[in-house]
Amino acid sequence: MSNAKLPTFIAVGAFAVLAGCSAPSESGGVNDPYESVNRATHAANKGADRIFFRPAGKAYGTAVPAPVRASLSNAASNLDGPRTVANDILQGNIEDAGHNLSRFLVNSTLGVFGLFDPAGSSFGLEARPTGFADTMAVWGVREGAYLELPLFGPSTERDAFGKVVDVLTNPINSWEDGTEIAAATALPSVLDSRYTYGESLDSILYDSADSYAQLRLYYLESRRFRLTGQGSAENAYDPYENLYEDVYEGIYE
Amino acid sequence: MSDTHISRRTVLAGGAALFLLAVLPRQVFALTEGQARSLIDQAVAEINAVINSGRSEGAMYGEFEKIFRRYADVPTIARTALGPPARSASAGQMQAFTGAFAGYMARKYGKRFRDFVGTQIQVTGARTVKSFQEVQAVAKMKGQAPFAISFMVSDRSGSDKFFDLLIEGISLLKSERAEIGAMLDRRGGNIDALIQDVQRAG
């Protein structure tokens, strides 16, 4: 990260903290005040998946051999390397910063511009992705309301804001043609994910009685789990305490 | 996410726990961590055997349903998934719903486990959370990052059973509560129609 970028990070971070103060609190439940808008977006996203992402993912997955797909996805995630290191530093996580910096250097050189992942396969430097949304969580910014974003899918106010910061502050953008390179590598890796997790995604989107509610639950619970580790058992629902109580009233409409 | 962050928190939590242990009388749990762990060890061994048996899909669903009935508190999970309408349902309806629900769970989650052929699930630890036990496990898939599975175990049904399963933090109980609730809404709250749908779903 260049020094010129640092003030941007700090300014944006300060704003995020202020923005987070106005967000309502959450306690393991679902905070979804924009549900009707979100549901409309969900319907549109499902339509986009049905006519584009699902068939395109299938076509990409069948037509392009696995090693090529892996390489393109590797290259895309390698371009996130500098930004990942920057966020590790902002989180005060020096160990992950060193880990991800080494990973970036190894894969950018031995891994031929990130097309291969020798760091992960030979050096024990597995991917430890992070972004500005995680940084805000470390700083104590609450997740805010649940959002389903057009094309990007499930998110929260904090995570959506983090995503915007990730895109705007990616050091790759200061390279010549950096923006174009980042954009060009994004689509193959999206299609690869759609293909790889095809069955699980299909079952959530198309086999569920309420795919919106399922996707919301999956996103919020797995996100909180990733941010807090094994602590989610504390939020587990105890059916023996609550067998006759309507605990979910207000959580699920 | 952040190692230093977590370890700092762990240290603080550890300190608080020691303090509480010193000042509070030891609470006695009927079900010990060791018992919960050995229950899940057994369940996991059976799941591993089915995943790697190379049997047909249909045969695997049958096996999963048997495991689910043996190790999970199916009536409690079914009742929780149904939510408040369980209170007004007749005993006959609850029995029919519970039966349909067990088959639905075996098909739905059996389908997911089918993708796990060659995967080894390994129990890694157990701890007391509130009034139940959390048994933690890791599923290691070829070429993919391992993922966490937690079994919530209690003896309050009268025998040691798990009542929830968290896969990467996603609760099966909460997920099914939302799903069954949506299915019931679709049927305008008609439990008999719901039971027929659940028999076919998954």
Side-chain angles (χ1 to χ4, degrees), chain B residues 39-62:
Chain B
L39 175 86
I40 298 305
D41 267 330
Q42 247 176 350
V44 160
E46 290 191 27
I47 294 170
N48 279 334
V50 176
I51 295 174
N52 299 303
S53 66
R55 254 180 271 182
S56 77
E57 221 169 277
M60 270 171 43
Y61 295 163

Side-chain angles (χ1 to χ4, degrees), chain A residues 20 43 59 61-62 69 80 86 90 114 155 166 177 197 222 226 228:
Chain A
T62 358
R69 277 185 282 123
D80 289 338
L90 289 173
S155 191
D166 283 344
D177 302 327
Y197 304 111
S222 61
R226 253 172 258 158
T228 60

Side-chain angles (χ1 to χ4, degrees), chain B residues 108-149:
Chain B
K108 181 170 177 178
Y109 292 92
K111 230 180 259 174
R112 300 264 169 90
F113 275 117
R114 187 191 55 193
D115 303 333
F116 299 159
V117 171
T119 302
Q120 280 298 323
I121 304 172
Q122 211 179 356
V123 174
T124 54
R127 66 189 185 117
T128 304
V129 180
K130 295 193 274 194
S131 60
F132 52 86
Q133 308 290 327
E134 178 194 12
V135 179
Q136 298 162 343
V138 171
K140 284 179 181 149
M141 284 173 96
K142 257 191 191 152
Q144 293 215 27
F147 59 90
I149 305 180

